[in-house]
Every structure is written in C-alpha cells, then in structure tokens.
Amino acid sequence: MKLALAEAQKAAEAEETPIGAVVVAGGRVIAAAHNTREHSHDITAHAELLAVRAAAKEKGDWRLNDCTVYVTLEPCPMCAGALLASRVSRVVYGAKDPAAGAMGTVINLPRYPLGSSPAVTAGVLEEECRTVLQDFFKNCRK
C-alpha cells in the first residue's frame, strides 16, 4: 500500500486526483499507476485500470487470477467491474469511498458473478490514504 500511496502522491503533484494502484504477482510488483484523467482527457484513466492494463501487458495475459491489486481508494463501479473481469484474486484498498465505493461501501460488486469474486480487504493505511485525498481537495479549494 505504501507503493500505491507513492503513486497517489505522483498524481497529486501532477494535479490529478491522488489515487494510486499497484499490482503484485508472486510477491513482485508487476505494475503501478496513478490517475491521469485530467492530462490524458480520458475518463477511463483511473489508477486501477491503468495498473491492470500494464499488469496484463507484463504478464502477456488479461487474466490476472494470481494477482493482488492495492489501491488507495475503494474502486468505483467502473474499476470494480474491470477488476472482477480481469479475475484478480484479491483487492486491498485504503480509504472507503462514501460517494462511489463499489466494493462494499455504496454497492458491493464482488458479490455478483461478474468474472470473479476476489477477496477484498478494506482499511489498509486508511488514514494515510484519506489524508492524501483530503489535502489535495483542500488545496484545490484555495
């Protein structure tokens, strides 16, 4: 999660919503990404999707069934759907998303048969993950 937080910090420095994601397979980081929506003008350029795309390329397979995804904010419905479709085995996230969290907070997509039912762990380094987001939006409002 600390690596995902470092990615979130990169996003903040680039004036992007500070969310970071890391994909791990066999104890090795195979992909890392952060939001690039603003700079790429791409609504799908969320950290999770970018990290999953990079991991699939690294593995040479879209099936990520032996992978864990660490992300600083609970995935939205779009990202949660992609994580299920990619068959990741585990999702670990930091802060809950009370507006759009799709892995238990607002809705719980893993309970539906949409490709896989990954194990989900919430609240890892939650305070640090929430603080990165809160600080970013406080600065935006100044």
Side-chain angles (χ1 to χ4, degrees):
M1 187 61 76
K2 289 188 185 250
L3 294 175
L5 275 164
E7 286 294 324
Q9 191 57 46
K10 289 179 191 177
E13 291 165 6
E15 298 180 351
E16 296 277 355
T17 302
I19 299 169
V22 172
V23 181
V24 175
R28 182 175 73 86
V29 173
I30 62 169
H34 57 271
N35 277 11
T36 63
R37 245 180 1 178
E38 301 301 327
H39 286 84
S40 66
H41 309 290
D42 179 357
I43 190 62
T44 69
H46 287 203
E48 302 94 310
L49 294 182
L50 297 172
V52 164
R53 287 178 192 146
K57 191 171 186 175
E58 173 69 20
K59 284 188 67 172
D61 190 353
W62 62 268
R63 294 169 194 86
L64 302 177
N65 54 326
D66 60 343
C67 295
T68 298
V69 176
Y70 294 85
V71 60
T72 56
L73 182 67
E74 180 180 5
C76 70
M78 175 179 66
C79 293
L83 293 170
L84 297 178
S86 70
R87 301 180 183 169
V88 298
S89 58
R90 186 172 178 221
V91 177
V92 178
Y93 69 83
K96 291 181 180 181
D97 184 350
M103 292 203 145
T105 300
V106 177
I107 58 176
N108 189 10
L109 283 183
R111 69 182 275 218
Y112 299 100
L114 299 172
S116 71
S117 296
V120 177
T121 303
V124 175
L125 298 180
E126 183 173 9
E127 186 61 35
E128 293 92 326
C129 293
R130 186 179 20 254
T131 298
V132 167
L133 284 160
Q134 289 173 339
D135 290 350
F136 175 78
F137 286 113
K138 281 179 192 171
N139 287 332
C140 286
R141 290 192 274 287
K142 287 183 181 179

